[in-house]
Amino acid sequence: MMSGQTNRIARLSIMIALMLVLGWLDRAIPLGSILGGSLPGVKLGLANTVLLYAVYLMNPGSALLLLTAKVLLSGWLFGSFSAILYSLSGGILSLAAMLALRGQNPAPGRIILTSVAGAMAHNLGQILMAAAVAGTPGLLTAYLLPLEGIGAAVGCVTGAAAWRVIRAVAGRREGSERDGEGA
């Protein structure tokens, strides 16, 4: 039987690996091309389902650790320093929005709302960073509005997926606690 600390490290490691795989899969889905190529870099945000799990079923420190590890590792493996910079700026703003909205009850509507807010905050953080780096505040008006619409749509999809995972895991935890096994 694993100790509590060993169990936590194992769970976080698996979640980071899952986030990396989902991030890689995100890169393989050409959402920008599907949308006509007018919005480069648009992704589904599949790894956000794992982060939503952490927001609702773990502590904020664990969620921040997952976000940071995912951004740094995926930037190192698949991207560049600028990818890390943009992803981290969007990710921090996204996590802050999700933690502010999470509430105590992981109801489907609440999780989807949290996901949408996180997706839109992520887009805002990235656009703010891009505008600052490039010195082009016009980027905010030209790119942000369509990106936020897409963020809202994909936030609904990832929120619905995360709700199913959270419901399944929370139900399993409750069953284990009733059986005397603990979480």
Side-chain angles (χ1 to χ4, degrees):
M1 180 171 220
M2 287 195 282
S3 72
Q5 184 68 9
T6 304
N7 188 12
R8 181 177 180 270
I9 291 169
R11 184 176 338 138
L12 288 171
S13 299
I14 290 167
M15 292 173 72
I16 291 167
L18 181 57
M19 290 178 87
L20 289 171
V21 169
L22 290 172
W24 175 81
L25 184 60
D26 237 349
R27 293 174 185 273
I29 299 170
L31 190 58
S33 298
I34 292 168
L35 296 172
S38 60
L39 295 170
V42 174
K43 296 180 185 123
L44 287 172
L46 299 172
N48 196 42
T49 56
V50 179
L51 192 57
L52 278 163
Y53 168 92
V55 163
Y56 276 94
L57 297 180
M58 300 177 85
N59 62 44
S62 293
L64 181 60
L65 176 67
L66 287 170
L67 169 72
T68 306
K70 189 264 182 191
V71 167
L72 294 175
L73 289 171
S74 65
W76 178 66
L77 291 169
F78 312 121
S80 62
F81 176 74
S82 61
I84 292 171
L85 183 67
Y86 295 129
S87 190
L88 193 57
S89 62
I92 299 267
L93 196 55
S94 173
L95 182 59
M98 290 190 293
L99 288 170
L101 288 175
R102 75 177 169 180
Q104 296 301 315
N105 182 17
R110 171 66 74 159
I111 293 171
I112 291 171
L113 173 68
T114 303
S115 178
V116 168
M120 293 177 76
H122 192 278
N123 290 339
L124 177 61
Q126 286 190 322
I127 293 296
L128 287 172
M129 181 58 71
V133 167
T136 55
L139 190 62
L140 290 171
T141 55
Y143 200 52
L144 186 60
L145 204 53
L147 202 57
E148 291 295 47
I150 292 168
V154 299
C156 286
V157 172
T158 57
W163 172 71
R164 289 182 172 276
V165 170
I166 291 167
R167 181 182 66 174
V169 171
R172 211 172 117 220
R173 280 186 177 178
E174 289 171 12
S176 294
E177 289 168 3
R178 280 193 302 266
D179 295 339
E181 295 175 19

